[in-house]
Amino acid sequence: MVLSVNPPVLSRRERGEAIERTHAGRWLYAGSWMHGFGHFLVETLPTLWPLLEDPRGFDGICAHRFNSLKTFDWQFEIVGLLSSKPIHVIDDDPSRYAELVVPARTYHYQVAIHPVATRVWDLVSSRAAEGASDSDGPSIYLSRSRFQAEQLANGVTSGREVKNSEAVDDVFAAFGFRVVYPETLAVTEQIRLARQAPIVAGAAGSALHLSVFTKPGARVIELGDTRTGSNVVATQRAISSAKRQPTAHIAYAEATPGSVDLDHLRNRLRELLA
């Protein structure tokens, strides 16, 4: 899984197999290729910061898988906004590189994010907007309703389900938010919507980490759930600090078990949007 340092020695088998997969040139090491959406945005993507300093100085990008053998098209789509170089995600087969640049990591997990991360996010964001209007759009609410319905239909539960999630969508729509279902959109479109939004709102978790792509001055509203209670998720708090992003948290309150108290939600939105 994850080691704090490189192993001092590779086994003879590993060394032998690596020689069979030797790659010429200078490659940038991206660390762990996180499979979770929010983790990828915050932990993998900013590690590519040397591309800002020397965009032509690398022959490719390589990373280790984290805890899944799966890779996803959206990961390569995001990195493609930074670089068109080839990407190797190394699983169980050792590889060897003639020269490997290993950058300092930008994220002290759940504590702080180095400012250079914001430069990476801003460049991705600006390139996602190329060829489209870059004027401000509506505030957005990142809904989990359709994703939750699909998961439940497949017998998958997380313990964070909201029984009246569609009613929550309606509340945000009534306050002028565009209700967005992220999983139905290409990731470049998700980034573009976040960039244009003066306020990004959503349930605590990965989707709300799209706030890394907002313009200066944008605000964030995190809707708590049974996991978070009245506390902003630590990673979201670190993002807000790095981007100097005003962030409000609407504490989770139930009307009935598993259902958000809509009156409480309306009252908090009135306060925040006044």
Side-chain angles (χ1 to χ4, degrees):
M1 287 286 288
V2 179
L3 298 174
S4 59
V5 294
N6 290 325
V9 178
L10 294 177
S11 72
R12 181 177 297 178
R13 179 192 65 81
E14 290 170 326
R15 293 198 302 273
E17 291 182 3
I19 289 173
E20 297 173 4
R21 282 175 290 276
T22 297
H23 304 280
R26 187 171 184 251
W27 289 68
L28 176 61
Y29 180 58
S32 297
W33 192 260
M34 308 300 288
H35 69 282
F37 184 73
H39 289 280
F40 188 87
L41 297 185
V42 176
E43 297 175 58
T44 302
L45 184 60
T47 307
L48 299 175
W49 63 263
L51 291 171
L52 306 181
E53 311 291 336
D54 190 10
R56 295 189 178 90
F58 299 96
D59 295 287
I61 297 164
C62 64
H64 277 107
R65 70 179 180 93
F66 181 55
N67 58 357
S68 174
L69 288 174
K70 291 182 179 179
T71 59
F72 302 97
D73 290 343
W74 57 262
Q75 297 168 321
F76 299 96
E77 185 176 340
I78 293 173
V79 176
L81 293 168
L82 279 180
S83 172
S84 59
K85 301 295 184 182
I87 301 169
H88 295 172
V89 180
I90 302 160
D91 46 34
D92 292 327
D93 296 323
S95 293
R96 190 163 114 170
Y97 296 86
E99 183 179 355
L100 194 64
V101 175
V102 182
R105 302 186 74 172
T106 63
Y107 185 35
H108 182 186
Y109 186 64
Q110 295 191 332
V111 175
I113 299 173
H114 191 280
V116 75
T118 65
R119 294 176 54 205
V120 177
W121 294 329
D122 290 348
L123 181 55
V124 169
S125 173
S126 64
R127 288 183 175 172
E130 290 176 358
S133 172
D134 198 26
S135 58
D136 289 346
S139 296
I140 60 173
Y141 172 65
L142 303 167
S143 171
R144 289 176 56 87
S145 294
R146 294 184 183 178
F147 175 76
Q148 175 182 289
E150 182 179 345
Q151 293 290 94
L152 290 173
N154 292 325
V156 179
T157 59
S158 66
R160 298 172 59 198
E161 288 76 21
V162 173
K163 293 179 181 178
N164 60 342
S165 60
E166 292 182 354
V168 173
D169 295 351
D170 292 341
V171 170
F172 276 93
F175 276 86
F177 287 77
R178 174 179 170 180
V179 178
V180 174
Y181 306 97
E183 71 281 359
T184 68
L185 302 172
V187 73
T188 299
E189 179 62 16
Q190 296 178 44
I191 294 169
R192 189 178 298 127
L193 288 172
R195 178 180 174 84
Q196 295 172 339
I199 304 174
V200 177
S206 279
L208 193 58
H209 296 345
L210 279 166
S211 62
V212 300
F213 299 117
T214 57
K215 293 178 184 175
R219 294 184 287 164
V220 173
I221 297 176
E222 180 188 82
L223 190 58
D225 56 23
T226 53
R227 177 188 62 164
T228 60
S230 59
N231 299 310
V232 176
V233 169
T235 296
Q236 195 68 51
R237 192 163 57 244
I239 293 168
S240 299
S241 177
K243 290 189 65 74
R244 303 179 185 277
Q245 196 172 61
T247 300
H249 179 86
I250 299 179
Y252 181 70
E254 290 184 331
T256 58
S259 295
V260 170
D261 185 330
L262 299 180
D263 288 336
H264 169 75
L265 176 59
R266 292 188 188 97
N267 291 336
R268 287 291 287 125
L269 285 174
R270 287 190 193 100
E271 294 171 3
L272 293 170
L273 302 175

